[in-house]
Amino acid sequence: MSGGAAILGAFGCTFVLAPACSIRVPAEDSVLLHAFAQANELSIVIESEFQARGDCWEMVRPKLSADASRVYDEDNAGGASRISEALSMEVLARVLGAHLVSTELELSYWPANGPMTDFAIEARGVVLGVSVTRAFAFRSDKDATATPSAVMSAEQAEALLRKKLNGVIQSSSTCYSEKWQKQVLHVWASSAADVSALQRAFELLGPEVASNSLVLITLCCNLPELFSEKGSARGSRRTAAVKGLKDDEHIRILEQSDPVRRSRGHFNGDCGADVATAVGFSHCQTVRVCQDDWIIP
């Protein structure tokens, strides 16, 4: 047992049985997953399968680990990604023994208008960034409804991995609040055919794209909400308090204790607000730009 989950080996695979899910990883891939998570300057693609233990998200949600629940509950940068990111944290907690270090809006970047990492984890003393996406293709005809087609094409699979891995490289170079030695690109797939297409596409990528990334492809066929989740309004990074900035009450007290003020006798209690407004801090905010899950046209 590990963290409320049973781990066993059978039929050439490692199985993790947790309250919210069952996870299957081929035995060799399970060994490589742990090894490559620790190794720098090496990239690999790993296959896995996820079975939700419940007929719908509302049945799975209460069974998540504490870290996965936090990823789901806390604000992110927007888009239809809360379920996929929470389940990614659940998978990594169960198969890697990972713990959450920072959620999406706790990570800071410079410049601040590029790709963002979804969260950061720690596994066996190593910090890893994690970027999550869902792989499915929409039909190209204009009259088609927004339903995934049966299989991704080779071109679609390669384009998805190139786009996301380039984003991984950029966010790794611009994040300054956490320094990880590599990132996990976690791709959710809805069919075995899509998993195969993504694996073949990874083999076509050059080292400049695959870089130092660990690509984890997870098949999930029994939780429709994972792929049908609707987008939410974009969030924004919490604005940190400006060091040295005093609130109105603090300024009022300082004014009353100021001997110069008492001698002049003509300052009033509103000057604190005037000072804050003049400096401009009362309207400070930080604007973030992020990328949603990439839907293939």
Side-chain angles (χ1 to χ4, degrees), residues 213-280:
S213 301
L214 191 163
V215 178
L216 175 63
I217 304 172
T218 302
L219 171 66
C220 179
C221 299
N222 74 331
L223 192 65
E225 294 95 330
L226 174 58
F227 297 97
S228 63
E229 182 182 12
K230 301 298 182 182
S232 60
R234 285 191 184 276
S236 60
R237 185 174 300 279
R238 297 182 184 89
T239 303
V242 180
K243 290 185 177 180
L245 179 62
K246 300 172 177 59
D247 58 28
D248 290 347
E249 179 63 15
H250 194 166
I251 292 176
R252 184 185 65 79
I253 294 171
L254 289 175
E255 290 170 354
Q256 290 179 345
S257 64
D258 182 4
V260 176
R261 173 186 180 279
R262 288 199 298 269
S263 65
R264 289 176 178 172
H266 65 271
F267 281 83
N268 58 58
D270 293 333
C271 83
D274 293 339
V275 170
T277 302
V279 175

Side-chain angles (χ1 to χ4, degrees), residues 55-108:
D55 295 331
C56 64
W57 173 246
E58 292 306 317
M59 295 180 66
V60 175
R61 166 69 185 89
K63 304 174 185 176
L64 295 175
S65 63
D67 282 344
S69 294
R70 183 182 163 202
V71 170
Y72 182 76
D73 290 335
E74 292 199 8
D75 291 338
N76 64 12
S81 58
R82 293 177 65 205
I83 293 177
S84 59
E85 290 172 11
L87 292 180
S88 176
M89 182 67 243
E90 183 73 10
V91 169
L92 295 169
R94 300 305 184 185
V95 302
L96 274 181
H99 300 282
L100 182 65
V101 174
S102 299
T103 57
E104 186 168 18
L105 296 184
E106 292 173 338
L107 297 172
S108 301

Side-chain angles (χ1 to χ4, degrees), residues 99-146:
H99 300 282
L100 182 65
V101 174
S102 299
T103 57
E104 186 168 18
L105 296 184
E106 292 173 338
L107 297 172
S108 301
Y109 302 85
W110 182 260
N113 60 346
M116 298 171 66
T117 294
D118 292 315
F119 53 91
I121 60 173
E122 179 271 325
R124 298 186 180 182
V126 175
V127 176
L128 302 167
V130 181
S131 293
V132 186
T133 190
R134 300 168 298 171
F136 50 99
F138 283 89
R139 291 180 293 176
S140 59
D141 56 294
K142 294 182 180 179
D143 297 328
T145 57

Side-chain angles (χ1 to χ4, degrees), residues 191-208:
S191 72
D194 286 351
V195 173
S196 296
L198 290 162
Q199 288 176 318
R200 291 192 298 269
F202 181 82
E203 300 300 327
L204 300 176
L205 302 176
E208 73 283 356

